[in-house]
Amino acid sequence: MQPVTIVGAAGRMGHALLRGILESDDLTVAGAIDRTDCPQCGRDVGALVGLPEVGLNLTSDLQPRRGQVVVDFSLPEATGSNIARCVDAGVPLVLGTTGLTKDDIGLIHGAAEKIPVVFAANYSVGVTLLTQLAGLAAKALGPDWDAEMVEIHHKHKRDAPSGTALRIGIAVAEATGRDLEKDGVFDRSPRNEPRRSNEIGIVALRGGDSVGEHTLMFLTDGERIELSHRARDRQIFARGALRAARWVADKPPGLYDMPDVLGLSES
Ligand code: NAD
């Protein structure tokens, strides 16, 4: 059995991850962590997700031990200290939190020199494939096709555009010699000019309980291609993240993404 500690365990993804572990044959919950003032702290993690009690309570103190894997889906504010604890303990990390700053990304790269880190903007197997297809399509279609993306997420999501939309945008940019930081356009309202051909447009919609929808369009005169992924259930991210946790447990230090976990990196 592979012991896994969940950070952000009282959140929506935390619940999906706990349920995924408790219902698996090969994983066990080593720890369930949330913020200090979390109202569910002290509750049994089984009962927390509507399953039989397992004799382990939700706490606020992350103390990973060698042999475990930490899976962190919390908030950016928590990322720095969680990374530091994993590095100190020499424990592999699967990081799902989005909306991270450049400083946080720097910390992740530093940590990956000492421990194995899987860091993916989207742990869905379907989105991992969509991201690869995005790059393939952008390269094949060439500069006459305009790339525009629409993403929809639930009303509680803080960051926009989504980490997934940015990752798909980077795949389009990298495949065509562009840079999303320069060529990405997320708000056309202050602009008063026609679209430039190098632009990669991303629009974020927020509302309801949408788990995550991404549609990448390639538009040219007379035709349009749409690549879409719609997540209906948070469990898809939990399944992917737990697959990453199993995979990373015996890997050497390094920074990995879902294509590595799925064995798609060389394709
Ligand atoms: P959520 O708000 O429901 O849960 C976040 C949890 O983190 C809360 O319970 C909160 O109390 C806890 N938290 C806050 N500060 C903490 C701290 N210092 N230590 C420990 N826990 C702390 O959010 P969610 O929908 O579960 O999403 C969590 C994160 O995962 C977000 O950044 C979201 O964008 C991201 N996410 C990523 C993927 C992916 O595939 N990469 C998929 C879904 C969500």
Side-chain angles (χ1 to χ4, degrees):
M1 299 284 265
Q2 173 60 53
V4 179
T5 289
I6 303 297
V7 183
R12 287 169 290 241
M13 277 304 299
H15 279 212
L17 288 157
L18 285 174
R19 183 172 278 279
I21 296 175
L22 294 174
E23 292 178 343
S24 80
D25 296 332
D26 59 340
L27 301 175
T28 170
V29 185
I33 315 297
D34 209 280
R35 54 174 218 272
T36 324
D37 56 347
C38 162
Q40 292 97 331
C41 274
R43 281 196 67 191
D44 184 275
V45 298
L48 193 67
V49 297
L51 294 172
E53 296 205 349
V54 293
L56 181 86
N57 292 342
L58 186 75
T59 71
S60 58
D61 192 16
L62 175 60
Q63 286 187 336
R65 300 237 161 75
R66 235 169 237 282
Q68 299 178 0
V69 173
V70 169
V71 177
D72 181 358
F73 280 69
S74 56
L75 292 180
E77 302 88 278
T79 302
S81 70
N82 294 340
I83 292 175
R85 298 216 171 171
C86 291
V87 169
D88 288 348
V91 166
L93 172 65
V94 174
L95 185 58
T97 307
T98 65
L100 300 180
T101 63
K102 277 191 179 161
D103 286 350
D104 295 327
I105 305 287
L107 287 178
I108 293 168
H109 281 272
E113 288 173 15
K114 299 182 182 117
I115 56 169
V117 180
V118 182
F119 177 47
N122 193 308
Y123 280 88
S124 143
V125 170
V127 165
T128 304
L129 189 63
L130 173 68
T131 308
Q132 299 243 320
L133 292 174
L136 204 67
K139 193 168 180 183
L141 293 169
D144 292 341
W145 292 70
D146 300 323
E148 293 279 318
M149 200 182 332
V150 182
E151 58 102 332
I152 308 176
H153 281 84
H154 56 85
K155 60 190 169 205
H156 304 291
K157 188 166 176 65
R158 297 180 179 202
D159 50 313
S162 70
T164 302
L166 294 173
R167 187 65 198 87
I168 295 170
I170 288 170
V172 169
E174 284 178 350
T176 51
R178 284 176 279 178
D179 177 355
L180 192 68
E181 288 215 11
K182 279 209 325 272
D183 300 321
V185 178
F186 307 154
D187 178 8
R188 292 190 189 281
S189 60
R191 306 160 71 101
N192 185 24
E193 57 184 26
R195 186 188 197 285
R196 287 179 297 230
S197 66
N198 58 319
E199 289 179 1
I200 299 170
I202 307 182
V203 176
L205 310 185
R206 294 287 173 267
D209 63 354
S210 172
V211 173
E213 305 177 28
H214 295 84
T215 298
L216 172 64
M217 300 178 204
F218 291 99
L219 307 102
T220 193
D221 295 344
E223 53 184 326
R224 176 165 100 205
I225 297 171
E226 294 186 9
L227 297 174
S228 279
H229 179 272
R230 293 187 183 92
R232 285 203 312 269
D233 183 346
R234 226 164 237 105
Q235 209 65 42
I236 64 167
F237 308 121
R239 270 201 302 273
L242 295 178
R243 189 162 163 175
R246 290 179 180 95
W247 180 88
V248 79
D250 62 357
K251 293 295 171 288
L255 185 56
Y256 304 101
D257 198 346
M258 271 305 270
D260 301 306
V261 174
L262 301 182
L264 293 173
S265 296
E266 302 310 317
S267 63

